[in-house]
Amino acid sequence: MFSMIEIIGFTAAICTTSAFLPQVIHSFKTKRTKDISLPMYITLTFGAAMWFIYGIFIHSLQIILTNAVTTIFSFAILTLKIKHG
Amino acid sequence: MFSMIEIIGFTAAICTTSAFLPQVIHSFKTKRTKDISLPMYITLTFGAAMWFIYGIFIHSLQIILTNAVTTIFSFAILTLKIKHG
């Protein structure tokens, strides 16, 4: 079975990865992104992509998968921000 | 000296941690948070706090420090979102 530490780590990873999905849905539906920071999503998309590359280098499937998802979500919000201003 | 992999990991950590600061400043200055997703910042604050606790359990100063910062930034945005709606 999983240890308490593993459950905490797994919960943390699920939360910080899935957190961006409600923002993707919100921005897609409302087509309003004025209150969202552009520099935030430029930096976050770049950073998550760097984590993804880092995961490939150190052969960590967990880092690769979670950051592939984060890069996609963050890039989706960035695209909506650029589109709707 | 640092290896290329270490530099990529360090750059990734700096970016994904500091990314939230422009949003804190943006929301604080404009007092407008309508386009920001509430469920995103509830989930992100909780997730970052879980990573922080995980870092304490596995004695990783890097996970502790980066997630302390992320928890503070995410909680600040969450507080501004609750305040300004």
Side-chain angles (χ1 to χ4, degrees):
Chain A
M1 285 303 292
F2 296 108
S3 70
M4 193 184 69
I5 300 171
E6 285 170 322
I7 292 167
I8 290 171
F10 191 69
T11 307
I14 291 284
C15 287
T16 52
T17 305
S18 65
F20 301 95
L21 185 58
Q23 183 67 68
V24 176
I25 295 166
H26 189 279
S27 300
F28 185 78
K29 277 189 178 171
T30 62
K31 293 180 173 53
R32 285 192 59 90
T33 52
K34 203 176 184 311
D35 306 337
I36 287 173
S37 164
L38 179 65
M40 168 176 162
Y41 285 97
I42 291 170
T43 313
L44 191 67
T45 305
F46 178 77
M50 284 293 104
W51 274 126
F52 176 79
I53 293 164
Y54 180 77
I56 292 169
F57 272 114
I58 69 160
H59 306 287
S60 164
L61 191 63
Q62 197 183 339
I63 293 179
I64 292 169
L65 291 180
T66 53
N67 285 285
V69 175
T70 306
T71 304
I72 291 165
F73 286 164
S74 181
F75 185 70
I77 299 164
L78 178 62
T79 306
L80 289 163
K81 171 67 185 172
I82 291 167
K83 191 177 171 189
H84 301 298
Chain B
M1 284 304 292
F2 297 108
S3 70
M4 192 184 68
I5 300 171
E6 284 172 321
I7 292 166
I8 290 170
F10 190 69
T11 307
I14 291 285
C15 286
T16 53
T17 305
S18 66
F20 300 96
L21 185 59
Q23 184 67 68
V24 175
I25 295 167
H26 188 279
S27 300
F28 185 78
K29 275 188 179 172
T30 63
K31 293 179 174 52
R32 286 192 60 89
T33 53
K34 204 177 183 304
D35 307 336
I36 288 174
S37 165
L38 180 65
M40 166 172 164
Y41 285 96
I42 292 170
T43 313
L44 190 67
T45 305
F46 178 77
M50 284 293 106
W51 273 127
F52 177 78
I53 293 165
Y54 180 77
I56 292 169
F57 272 115
I58 69 160
H59 305 287
S60 165
L61 192 63
Q62 198 183 337
I63 293 179
I64 292 169
L65 290 181
T66 53
N67 286 285
V69 175
T70 307
T71 304
I72 291 165
F73 286 165
S74 182
F75 185 70
I77 300 165
L78 177 61
T79 306
L80 289 163
K81 169 68 186 171
I82 291 166
K83 191 178 173 189
H84 301 299

